[in-house]
PDB file of all heavy atoms in Angstrom:
ATOM      1  N   GLY A  33     -21.732  26.929 -10.075  1.00 94.00           N
ATOM      2  CA  GLY A  33     -21.368  25.637  -9.496  1.00 94.00           C
ATOM      3  C   GLY A  33     -19.960  25.694  -8.940  1.00 94.00           C
ATOM      4  O   GLY A  33     -19.052  26.236  -9.582  1.00 94.00           O
ATOM      5  N   LEU A  34     -19.763  25.155  -7.758  1.00 94.00           N
ATOM      6  CA  LEU A  34     -18.443  25.097  -7.130  1.00 94.00           C
ATOM      7  C   LEU A  34     -18.036  23.628  -7.037  1.00 94.00           C
ATOM      8  O   LEU A  34     -18.639  22.853  -6.289  1.00 94.00           O
ATOM      9  CB  LEU A  34     -18.483  25.738  -5.742  1.00 94.00           C
ATOM     10  CG  LEU A  34     -17.207  25.644  -4.891  1.00 94.00           C
ATOM     11  CD1 LEU A  34     -15.997  26.203  -5.635  1.00 94.00           C
ATOM     12  CD2 LEU A  34     -17.409  26.376  -3.560  1.00 94.00           C
ATOM     13  N   ILE A  35     -17.029  23.241  -7.820  1.00 91.00           N
ATOM     14  CA  ILE A  35     -16.593  21.851  -7.867  1.00 91.00           C
ATOM     15  C   ILE A  35     -15.094  21.778  -7.620  1.00 91.00           C
ATOM     16  O   ILE A  35     -14.396  22.793  -7.617  1.00 91.00           O
ATOM     17  CB  ILE A  35     -16.953  21.173  -9.214  1.00 91.00           C
ATOM     18  CG1 ILE A  35     -16.231  21.869 -10.381  1.00 91.00           C
ATOM     19  CG2 ILE A  35     -18.461  21.190  -9.440  1.00 91.00           C
ATOM     20  CD1 ILE A  35     -16.482  21.189 -11.729  1.00 91.00           C
ATOM     21  N   GLY A  36     -14.597  20.573  -7.435  1.00 87.00           N
ATOM     22  CA  GLY A  36     -13.186  20.348  -7.179  1.00 87.00           C
ATOM     23  C   GLY A  36     -13.017  19.073  -6.378  1.00 87.00           C
ATOM     24  O   GLY A  36     -13.984  18.488  -5.894  1.00 87.00           O
ATOM     25  N   PRO A  37     -11.777  18.622  -6.185  1.00 82.00           N
ATOM     26  CA  PRO A  37     -11.533  17.363  -5.477  1.00 82.00           C
ATOM     27  C   PRO A  37     -11.986  17.434  -4.029  1.00 82.00           C
ATOM     28  O   PRO A  37     -12.054  18.513  -3.428  1.00 82.00           O
ATOM     29  CB  PRO A  37     -10.006  17.197  -5.564  1.00 82.00           C
ATOM     30  CG  PRO A  37      -9.557  18.124  -6.633  1.00 82.00           C
ATOM     31  CD  PRO A  37     -10.525  19.239  -6.668  1.00 82.00           C
ATOM     32  N   ASN A  38     -12.289  16.250  -3.452  1.00 78.00           N
ATOM     33  CA  ASN A  38     -12.571  16.198  -2.026  1.00 78.00           C
ATOM     34  C   ASN A  38     -11.374  16.720  -1.242  1.00 78.00           C
ATOM     35  O   ASN A  38     -10.228  16.392  -1.546  1.00 78.00           O
ATOM     36  CB  ASN A  38     -12.869  14.761  -1.581  1.00 78.00           C
ATOM     37  CG  ASN A  38     -14.206  14.275  -2.095  1.00 78.00           C
ATOM     38  OD1 ASN A  38     -14.304  13.182  -2.630  1.00 78.00           O
ATOM     39  ND2 ASN A  38     -15.259  15.061  -1.952  1.00 78.00           N
ATOM     40  N   GLY A  39     -11.657  17.528  -0.225  1.00 78.00           N
ATOM     41  CA  GLY A  39     -10.584  18.087   0.594  1.00 78.00           C
ATOM     42  C   GLY A  39     -10.018  19.378   0.055  1.00 78.00           C
ATOM     43  O   GLY A  39      -9.130  19.966   0.685  1.00 78.00           O
ATOM     44  N   ALA A  40     -10.499  19.841  -1.107  1.00 84.00           N
ATOM     45  CA  ALA A  40      -9.968  21.080  -1.677  1.00 84.00           C
ATOM     46  C   ALA A  40     -10.401  22.308  -0.886  1.00 84.00           C
ATOM     47  O   ALA A  40      -9.748  23.359  -0.952  1.00 84.00           O
ATOM     48  CB  ALA A  40     -10.402  21.225  -3.139  1.00 84.00           C
ATOM     49  N   GLY A  41     -11.527  22.212  -0.158  1.00 88.00           N
ATOM     50  CA  GLY A  41     -11.977  23.341   0.648  1.00 88.00           C
ATOM     51  C   GLY A  41     -13.238  24.001   0.133  1.00 88.00           C
ATOM     52  O   GLY A  41     -13.491  25.178   0.425  1.00 88.00           O
ATOM     53  N   LYS A  42     -14.069  23.260  -0.599  1.00 91.00           N
ATOM     54  CA  LYS A  42     -15.280  23.852  -1.178  1.00 91.00           C
ATOM     55  C   LYS A  42     -16.239  24.335  -0.083  1.00 91.00           C
ATOM     56  O   LYS A  42     -16.785  25.435  -0.168  1.00 91.00           O
ATOM     57  CB  LYS A  42     -15.970  22.833  -2.093  1.00 91.00           C
ATOM     58  CG  LYS A  42     -15.101  22.353  -3.243  1.00 91.00           C
ATOM     59  CD  LYS A  42     -15.846  21.433  -4.178  1.00 91.00           C
ATOM     60  CE  LYS A  42     -16.201  20.094  -3.551  1.00 91.00           C
ATOM     61  NZ  LYS A  42     -15.013  19.276  -3.214  1.00 91.00           N
ATOM     62  N   SER A  43     -16.446  23.511   0.947  1.00 90.00           N
ATOM     63  CA  SER A  43     -17.340  23.915   2.035  1.00 90.00           C
ATOM     64  C   SER A  43     -16.773  25.117   2.780  1.00 90.00           C
ATOM     65  O   SER A  43     -17.518  26.000   3.222  1.00 90.00           O
ATOM     66  CB  SER A  43     -17.557  22.744   3.002  1.00 90.00           C
ATOM     67  OG  SER A  43     -18.211  21.671   2.348  1.00 90.00           O
ATOM     68  N   THR A  44     -15.456  25.170   2.930  1.00 91.00           N
ATOM     69  CA  THR A  44     -14.831  26.325   3.590  1.00 91.00           C
ATOM     70  C   THR A  44     -15.024  27.591   2.773  1.00 91.00           C
ATOM     71  O   THR A  44     -15.300  28.665   3.328  1.00 91.00           O
ATOM     72  CB  THR A  44     -13.329  26.057   3.804  1.00 91.00           C
ATOM     73  OG1 THR A  44     -13.167  24.875   4.589  1.00 91.00           O
ATOM     74  CG2 THR A  44     -12.663  27.229   4.512  1.00 91.00           C
ATOM     75  N   LEU A  45     -14.911  27.478   1.457  1.00 93.00           N
ATOM     76  CA  LEU A  45     -15.135  28.650   0.608  1.00 93.00           C
ATOM     77  C   LEU A  45     -16.579  29.130   0.722  1.00 93.00           C
ATOM     78  O   LEU A  45     -16.844  30.343   0.742  1.00 93.00           O
ATOM     79  CB  LEU A  45     -14.785  28.322  -0.849  1.00 93.00           C
ATOM     80  CG  LEU A  45     -14.961  29.465  -1.856  1.00 93.00           C
ATOM     81  CD1 LEU A  45     -14.172  30.704  -1.432  1.00 93.00           C
ATOM     82  CD2 LEU A  45     -14.529  29.026  -3.256  1.00 93.00           C
TER      83      LEU A  45
END
Side-chain angles (χ1 to χ4, degrees):
L34 174 55
I35 63 177
N38 289 132
K42 301 184 292 295
S43 296
T44 302
L45 180 55

